[in-house]
Amino acid sequence: MQALMMNSQLMISSILKHAEKNFPDVEMVSVTVDNPRHRQNNRQFARRCRQLANVLKRLGAKFGDRIGTLAWNDYRHMELYYAVSGSGMVCHTINPRLFPEQVAYIINHAEDRIMFVDALVLPLVEALKEHLPKLETVVVLTDRAHMPESKLPGLLCYEELLAAESDEFDWPEFDENTASGLCYTSGTTGNPKGVVYSHRSTILHALAGSLPDVTGASNLETSLPVVPMFHVNAWGAPYAAMMVGTKLVLPGPKMADGETLTDLINSEQVTVASGVPTIWLALLDYLSANKMTVPTLARASVGGAACPRIIVERFRNEHDCTVVQGWGMTETSPLGTVFCLKKGMENLTTEEVTDLQCLQGRGVFGIEMCIVDENNEELPWDGKAFGALKVRGPWVTRGYYGLSDVPGDEDCPVDEKGWFQTGDVASITPEGFLKITDRTKDVIKSGGEWISSIEIENAAVNHPDIAEAAVIGRYHPKWTERPLLIVVTSAGKTLGREDVLGFLQDKLHKMAMPDDVVFLDELPHTATGKINKLGLREIFADYEFPAA
Ligand code: AMP
């Protein structure tokens, strides 16, 4: 028997319509190159989105076209998110921090004909233009007064285009499985691969992400996504916030600037902010160096890389702010797991709660997960057994753009049983908390035992004089591989090998103690702010452990 429910398609434009009707006066505050504090409300936002939809039509964009963006977190990028997807095109967000060759590869692979580019990123497009044969139209995200000098012919000005269009536009309804967004993963090996989101996956992800035990997004909150809109849709904040009427504060190009972030949090009364650990360490350092605090900030969401304990402790002790760690990937939209205590955990000590915050969180409805051993046998959720992590669900990718989506094929990340192979190694506690121990390729195999590089790194960065730490496995004649710890000390501090080993002595089991500690002025990072282990392996390619 068929149900009698309406078959309304899940459309991104419906979020916009909902926000305009229900939260017309909710503000969106942005930092842009041409305005340090731009403000508009959702009524103005929705009107400009309709004008932008008319601009896209006038520029000749067709249903299904990929529209490229090279932009920071601000209101114009938000307008692109809604107008592009809402009119049936694919919002292709590109990370400007990737290597220029990768940016060119991505633009060509996606066949972007029209691109919207922040003025600060224009030099990148100028430098690449001759390698982008399909690119026809470049729109600069600014007004006439701030249009940069450029040798690119036919550059268009965003505000001029918008001003010339009517604010009437009927958002079309079409199949909810239509592509709405495209984001390439910045893999450390091989070419970047495109993950294609749909209207349906985006809406389900935003709904699940807004549940009270997930982000608890609400009309009462003010949210500062420091995680970039060019990387996995800023973890879905642009959709969830409009759905529930959260005020958005968008830091523009100032994502790594402690002073601007502090000012935004305090002047706009931000209650929740999200970002990768590096951003939070920088902000915490800025706050303590300037003897400042962020009284309104109740929760800091951390993801993208393991959250060092020191971040949890400093946010709690210095700012009375709860760290909420989550795990996810470009391929999972990204929401997979998020920290939240369970009933019965009310009486845990602060230390015990901190232990749980340092794990990657619990499963969110919609994401099924399992861990398997080398024979693909499922492992128990006992907090001890660890193996390859697999997930599946309606906002997990089933293939990459232009590659095979036939489960089991070499190019397809999904196995015959329909599980997406994350490439992460993890254990899961009996309470369902995920503990990521490594990327499959970063695991150190020492005398047959698996050693977690993340565990050693986390222990090391808790040293007050260590700014950053990374662990890679290096060849060892007896154990095959042993951990090498690479350390960057905090500004003005010096440490020796023995100081670090002494500090780690009671924090790691014997097998995980690094065989050597070396110091660098800085670590190589990927374009998404993660430590580039491949780069480190190249630097230490000829490294040999000192004789015991
Ligand atoms: P990306 O697709 O670039 O966002 O990278 C996804 C990868 O980042 C995951 O597969 C993990 O290896 C890593 N990652 C994301 N969140 C966490 C976390 N909370 N702890 C440890 N690793 C994480």
Side-chain angles (χ1 to χ4, degrees), residues 184-187 231-232 235 277 302-307 325-332 334 337 358-361 389 420 422-425 436-440 442 454 526 528 530:
Y184 281 71
T185 58
S186 47
H231 183 59
V232 216
W235 300 348
V302 186
C307 177
Q325 180 165 192
W327 167 90
M329 309 178 70
T330 309
E331 290 91 333
T332 63
T337 56
C358 290
L359 302 180
Q360 275 68 26
L389 173 68
F420 171 79
T422 65
D424 284 335
V425 178
I436 299 282
T437 52
D438 254 312
R439 292 291 293 163
T440 326
D442 292 339
I454 292 182
T526 67
T528 46
K530 297 176 198 193

Side-chain angles (χ1 to χ4, degrees), residues 143-215:
D143 55 18
R144 178 49 62 188
H146 294 89
M147 276 296 277
E149 291 278 323
S150 173
K151 54 182 191 303
L152 281 183
L155 269 193
L156 297 173
C157 165
Y158 184 84
E159 291 300 333
E160 260 177 19
L161 291 176
L162 237 67
E165 295 299 334
S166 146
D167 62 6
E168 281 180 26
F169 185 87
D170 283 331
W171 299 107
E173 192 177 299
F174 40 86
D175 178 3
E176 63 188 17
N177 290 302
T178 304
S180 61
L182 173 61
C183 180
Y184 281 71
T185 58
S186 47
T188 40
T189 49
N191 282 323
K193 294 191 277 278
V195 178
V196 186
Y197 309 107
S198 69
H199 286 256
R200 174 185 153 84
S201 72
T202 304
I203 293 213
L204 293 176
H205 178 265
L207 280 171
S210 305
L211 288 170
D213 281 358
V214 184
T215 66

Side-chain angles (χ1 to χ4, degrees), residues 112-131:
D112 296 334
R113 287 191 303 116
I114 303 172
M115 289 194 63
F116 288 79
V117 180
D118 190 278
L120 287 179
V121 192
L122 193 62
L124 175 64
V125 179
E126 287 172 341
L128 294 177
K129 181 68 182 72
E130 60 173 313
H131 307 292

